[in-house]
């Protein structure tokens, strides 16, 4: 007859082994799901040696403003041919479906940010020239109390047609675009905890280093690029 103490030990070992196998299975399933979601939600590289820079941000977030002003725009201006941008203005917002079948949003920095995020989403969608689009986005994130007035000013400054952007932001299209950005943000696994969150070629590693010096991290990925030497 097996002593009670030995039996308990064996049961404990068996339980620990079961938990280990179960946790490993859950982790692998999560990684596969994350990979599948990312491929569905986020664009793939268009070809050639580029870095896909995906930025989850909010239009009134000071950290987002600092990153776009001091790192993203200068890096893109330095070597636009090395970067492919995917900007997602949503951050820590929340989306609700109303009884009328439309969407309502609650944003971290209030209703002005929700409207501003729509303006950003529409600018990204309407302006095909990535350089102009990013410059308008960066300009919009300067200290403007009047988002609509800033939009007109920034668009004029960079030769962009403001009217379709404003119409989009004030209408159903802007709501739908912001909902899509919310879906992309909520697809992140693990969930977003800091804004901005940046992915380089879909990878989320090294956030502090990216926020401190984006160009340096780009050159880690493309060390052979002439601009990095």
């Amino acid at each position: 007859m097996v002593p009670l103490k030995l039996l308990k030990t064996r049961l404990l070992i068996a339980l620990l082994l079961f938990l280990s196998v179960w946790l490993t299975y859950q982790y692998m399933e999560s990684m596969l799901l994350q990979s599948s979601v990312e491929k569905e939600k986020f664009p793939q590289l268009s070809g050639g040696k580029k870095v896909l820079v995906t930025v989850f941000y909010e239009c009134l977030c000071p950290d987002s403003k600092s990153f776009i002003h001091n790192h993203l725009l200068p890096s893109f201006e330095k070597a636009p041919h090395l970067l492919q941008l995917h900007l997602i203005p949503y951050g820590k917002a929340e989306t609700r479906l109303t009884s009328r079948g439309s969407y309502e949003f609650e944003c971290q920095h209030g209703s002005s940010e929700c409207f501003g995020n729509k303006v950003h989403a529409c600018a990204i969608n309407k302006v095909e020239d990535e350089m102009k689009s990013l410059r308008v986005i960066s300009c919009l994130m300067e200290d403007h109390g009047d988002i609509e007035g800033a939009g007109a000013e920034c668009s004029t400054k960079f030769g962009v047609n403001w009217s379709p952007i404003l119409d989009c932001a004030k209408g159903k299209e802007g709501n739908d675009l912001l909902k899509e950005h919310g879906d992309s943000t909520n697809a992140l696994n693990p969930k977003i905890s800091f804004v901005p969150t940046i992915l380089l070629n879909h990878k989320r590693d090294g956030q502090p280093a990216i926020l401190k010096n984006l160009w340096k991290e780009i050159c880690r990925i493309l060390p052979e690029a002439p601009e990095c030497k």
Side-chain angles (χ1 to χ4, degrees):
M1 184 175 181
V2 180
L4 182 59
K5 185 175 181 180
L6 181 58
L7 182 60
K8 287 182 178 180
T9 301
R10 289 178 177 176
L11 287 172
L12 180 59
I13 292 172
L15 179 60
L16 290 173
L17 285 171
F18 171 78
L19 285 173
S20 176
V21 171
W22 183 79
L23 288 171
T24 300
Y25 171 78
Q26 291 295 314
Y27 174 78
M28 295 301 295
E29 185 178 44
S30 172
M31 290 298 100
L32 288 172
L33 177 62
Q34 180 180 356
S35 175
S36 174
V37 168
E38 286 182 349
K39 286 178 181 177
E40 178 182 351
K41 293 288 182 183
F42 306 142
Q44 301 302 302
L45 282 170
S46 58
K49 291 187 176 181
K50 285 190 173 186
V51 176
L52 174 60
V53 183
T54 305
V55 184
F56 297 85
Y57 74 102
E58 299 165 338
C59 72
L60 297 184
C61 166
D63 291 313
S64 295
K65 172 184 172 181
S66 176
F67 176 75
I68 289 174
H69 279 334
N70 301 321
H71 298 283
L72 185 62
L73 180 57
S75 295
F76 194 70
E77 288 179 333
K78 185 182 294 186
H81 58 288
L82 295 182
L83 304 182
Q84 182 179 340
L85 303 182
H86 188 203
L87 305 182
I88 304 176
Y90 186 85
K92 294 184 178 180
E94 293 182 2
T95 303
R96 286 190 293 271
L97 182 65
T98 70
S99 57
R100 302 184 301 276
S102 59
Y103 300 114
E104 289 182 348
F105 305 94
E106 183 176 335
C107 297
Q108 187 174 15
H109 299 96
S111 58
S112 292
E113 182 167 72
C114 289
F115 176 63
N117 283 343
K118 291 178 189 178
V119 170
H120 281 226
C122 291
I124 293 163
N125 182 258
K126 299 294 182 184
V127 183
E128 293 184 2
D129 186 315
E130 273 194 315
M131 184 67 78
K132 285 187 177 182
S133 175
L134 182 56
R135 284 172 173 164
V136 168
I137 292 300
S138 180
C139 178
L140 282 167
M141 297 184 81
E142 293 175 6
D143 294 326
H144 297 292
D146 176 9
I147 294 174
E148 191 170 333
E153 180 183 328
C154 293
S155 296
T156 299
K157 181 178 180 180
F158 295 107
V160 168
N161 189 352
W162 170 239
S163 294
I165 297 173
L166 182 60
D167 290 343
C168 167
K170 288 188 170 182
K172 182 178 181 298
E173 186 178 8
N175 268 18
D176 290 344
L177 286 172
L178 195 56
K179 166 64 165 56
E180 289 176 11
H181 288 319
D183 290 343
S184 295
T185 302
N186 293 328
L188 280 176
N189 184 13
K191 298 295 184 182
I192 193 169
S193 60
F194 182 81
V195 180
T197 289
I198 303 98
L199 276 60
L200 301 182
N201 289 346
H202 302 305
K203 295 181 180 179
R204 196 171 171 176
D205 304 330
Q207 291 297 295
I210 294 170
L211 289 166
K212 183 178 180 181
N213 192 333
L214 172 64
W215 181 251
K216 183 178 180 180
E217 298 310 306
I218 289 168
C219 288
R220 287 185 189 275
I221 299 172
L222 300 175
E224 298 305 316
E227 294 82 357
C228 291
K229 293 180 179 178

